[in-house]
């Protein structure tokens, strides 16, 4: 997915791991959607003066909660259970990188948060594409194909606002640094039945 500019694609064999524990991937995925909604609300809370940002991220948060509900419905339909919230080590590594690179000024903090969000969405989108193209479960193949398109839209939203509100920051240069950092991080993942694992 060249539009996402990710430097390291997911090995399709990751799907073989996922298929051994569908309940785990669905539980992990549901909580990823909940965290994405919470992240959008946090950005709104900290940057409420930007009316257009608030409007678009409210819509995005609603969509993420809708995705949570869709995953939960699949879990129920299959007679599975939504497990407890899962820790996401991949996202936590990105989060720590974001915190380390926020220099205390509000514009920098907003841009870093938006690029962090774009990075998570980009990798989620790429993982959904790999799932949709390689999973043997037809229902999940279609489901992940549809979600892939939605995640691509979320990625675009975050990148667009980083560029819009990043006055005085070389957002393109910073995004390239994020992509390089993520390449190093993702090499440690792809071995678990989780969206980013």
């Amino acid at each position: 997915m060249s539009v996402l500019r990710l430097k390291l694609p997911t090995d399709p064999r990751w799907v073989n791991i996922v298929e051994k524990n569908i309940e785990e991937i669905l539980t992990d995925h549901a909580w990823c959607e909940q965290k994405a909604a919470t992240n959008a609300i946090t950005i709104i809370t900290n940057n409420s003066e930007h009316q257009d940002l608030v409007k678009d991220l409210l819509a995005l948060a609603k969509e993420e909660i809708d995705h949570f509900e869709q995953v939960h419905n699949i879990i129920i339909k299959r007679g599975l259970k939504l497990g407890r919230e899962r820790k996401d080590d991949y996202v936590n590594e990105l989060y720590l990188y974001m915190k380390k690179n926020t220099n205390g000024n509000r514009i920098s903090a907003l841009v870093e948060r938006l690029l962090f969000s774009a990075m998570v969405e980009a990798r989620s989108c790429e993982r959904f594409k790999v799932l949709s193209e390689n999973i043997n479960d037809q229902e999940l193949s279609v489901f992940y194909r549809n979600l892939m398109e939605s995640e691509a839209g979320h990625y675009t939203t975050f990148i667009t606002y980083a560029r819009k509100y990043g006055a005085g920051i070389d957002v393109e240069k910073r995004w390239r640094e994020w992509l390089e950092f993520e390449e190093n991080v993702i090499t440690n993942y792809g071995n678990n039945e989780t969206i980013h694992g």
Side-chain angles (χ1 to χ4, degrees):
M1 303 196 67
S2 59
V3 68
L4 300 173
R5 293 163 59 189
L6 295 173
K7 292 182 172 292
L8 189 66
T10 296
D11 186 332
R13 287 175 296 183
W14 165 70
V15 178
N16 299 335
I17 298 167
V18 167
E19 287 180 318
K20 290 174 185 165
N21 196 342
I22 294 295
E23 186 169 32
E24 180 60 27
I25 188 79
L26 290 174
T27 284
D28 181 71
H29 178 193
W31 290 115
C32 284
E33 299 292 356
Q34 177 270 324
K35 289 170 195 163
T38 301
N39 178 59
I41 295 295
T42 298
I43 295 172
I44 289 168
T45 303
N46 294 333
N47 303 279
S48 55
E49 69 275 20
H50 300 303
Q51 194 174 46
D52 54 351
L53 179 76
V54 170
K55 182 173 175 290
D56 285 346
L57 291 196
L58 274 173
L60 188 149
K62 287 178 187 174
E63 199 166 274
E64 299 288 19
I65 285 297
D66 180 58
H67 292 168
F68 180 97
E69 183 178 26
Q70 288 180 46
V71 180
H72 190 233
N73 287 342
I74 290 173
I75 289 169
I76 292 168
K77 178 181 163 188
R78 294 180 175 221
L80 305 173
K81 286 207 165 42
L82 174 65
R84 302 290 294 171
E85 181 185 350
R86 302 300 196 249
K87 185 178 169 193
D88 192 325
D89 292 326
Y90 165 83
V91 171
N92 287 340
E93 285 194 56
L94 298 184
Y95 183 82
L96 291 173
Y97 179 70
M98 171 191 73
K99 292 293 277 185
K100 189 179 78 176
N101 288 281
T102 299
N103 64 16
N105 122 358
R106 289 195 74 229
I107 293 173
S108 169
L110 173 58
V111 168
E112 283 299 303
R113 189 71 184 225
L114 291 168
L115 294 180
F116 157 79
S117 305
M119 194 78 260
V120 175
E121 295 287 349
R123 182 56 70 182
S124 298
C125 178
E126 190 261 356
R127 286 283 170 101
F128 291 167
K129 182 176 191 287
V130 172
L131 275 170
S132 72
E133 291 175 351
N134 295 281
I135 201 162
N136 289 315
D137 186 309
Q138 189 56 35
E139 179 189 28
L140 292 181
S141 175
V142 172
F143 178 64
Y144 281 111
R145 175 78 199 175
N146 292 335
L147 285 196
M148 176 195 83
E149 294 166 6
S150 176
E151 299 296 301
H154 296 171
Y155 154 80
T156 301
T157 296
F158 288 123
I159 283 282
T160 300
Y161 277 111
R163 290 173 180 144
K164 179 170 184 177
Y165 288 116
I169 296 170
D170 188 341
V171 175
E172 292 310 310
K173 177 174 178 285
R174 188 69 195 116
W175 181 238
R176 288 194 297 273
E177 290 167 359
W178 266 98
L179 288 164
E180 285 166 16
F181 177 76
E182 197 270 351
E183 179 184 17
N184 291 325
V185 169
I186 202 66
T187 56
N188 300 315
Y189 296 92
N191 304 307
N192 293 310
E193 59 275 20
T194 57
I195 295 298
H196 303 122

